[in-house]
Amino acid sequence: MLNNVLASIIGYLIGSIPFALVIGKLFYKIDVREHGSGNLGGSNTGRTLGAKAGIIVSVLDVLKATIAMTLTHFIMPDAIVYAGFFATLGHCFPIFANFKGGKAVSTAFGFLLGISIFITHQPLTDFILPLISFFILLYITKMVALSSMLALLIATLGLWITQGATLVPITFTIITLIVIWRHRSNIKRIINKTERKITWM
């Protein structure tokens, strides 16, 4: 029980690091929260600061969950899932940025990377295939939000098929639901056919 609590705290604090805010202010003198959607995520960073900054922030946000899970693996391996889950919550509600963060897509993929390395040992099916699915869907739909949600739903289904009713798929289902809830404004725009589409792919 104590290990789960400690892992949750570690995950939350690492997940709370607002890389979009740090990079925006440090290198561009811009607060990304004042532009676009106002979210501290890779997509809004890319729209505000450019593709390079957006990619860097997305990668760092992925690594937040994976690093939290890696650190936990070495000191309390039975609590890895808690570290990854709370890293996702930290990204959404960061204590270092007034509890206003991103939409958790990148950290969800970081969770997938972490569990594929330390728990399921199936990086091809649990991380790489969902990532490839995202880019295929993005090529087809041209909508980042829709592609993200569908890719995570595919990953969720895959985990239930391969892992059964265990902690990993149950936890990732909650993460996916959080991501969908965080995208509720995007869902309305998708339904109304007003969602922004990318032009670079």
Side-chain angles (χ1 to χ4, degrees):
M1 182 65 180
L2 180 59
N3 282 355
N4 294 342
V5 173
L6 291 175
S8 299
I9 293 171
I10 291 171
Y12 176 75
L13 292 176
I14 293 176
S16 288
I17 300 172
F19 286 117
L21 184 62
V22 172
I23 289 175
K25 286 194 170 185
L26 189 62
F27 296 103
Y28 297 85
K29 310 303 180 186
I30 292 175
D31 187 335
V32 297
R33 295 173 297 183
E34 299 173 355
H35 301 271
S37 65
N39 287 305
L40 290 176
S43 294
N44 192 48
T45 301
R47 286 193 293 267
T48 304
L49 305 178
K52 181 180 178 181
I55 291 171
I56 291 172
V57 168
S58 294
V59 171
L60 290 173
D61 285 345
V62 168
L63 293 177
K64 286 197 289 193
T66 308
I67 289 172
M69 297 169 83
T70 301
L71 290 175
T72 305
H73 170 72
F74 289 113
I75 55 178
M76 38 192 164
D78 58 321
I80 290 174
V81 173
Y82 291 88
F85 176 73
F86 277 88
T88 302
L89 290 185
H91 177 74
C92 293
F93 311 105
I95 193 172
F96 304 127
N98 298 319
F99 302 100
K100 296 179 180 179
K103 295 182 177 179
V105 173
S106 294
T107 46
F109 274 101
F111 180 92
L112 288 175
L113 179 58
I115 63 105
S116 73
I117 294 172
F118 298 116
I119 299 178
T120 67
H121 307 293
Q122 298 178 144
L124 176 61
T125 57
D126 294 339
F127 175 72
I128 296 175
L129 286 182
L131 187 62
I132 292 173
S133 297
F134 165 76
F135 284 108
I136 292 174
L137 289 163
L138 185 60
Y139 179 77
I140 295 170
T141 68
K142 301 295 188 289
M143 290 183 281
V144 176
L146 180 59
S147 302
S148 300
M149 289 185 284
L150 290 176
L152 294 184
L153 285 170
I154 290 170
T156 302
L157 178 61
L159 288 174
W160 278 101
I161 292 172
T162 60
Q163 303 300 312
T166 56
L167 183 61
V168 168
I170 291 171
T171 303
F172 194 71
T173 298
I174 297 171
I175 290 174
T176 299
L177 291 174
I178 290 172
V179 170
I180 292 172
W181 179 74
R182 299 283 288 176
H183 281 85
R184 58 196 183 280
S185 60
N186 300 85
I187 293 171
K188 289 180 182 178
R189 290 194 296 270
I190 291 168
I191 293 171
N192 294 330
K193 297 182 179 180
T194 57
E195 175 72 349
R196 183 197 298 261
K197 293 187 177 182
I198 62 169
T199 57
W200 52 267
M201 192 178 194

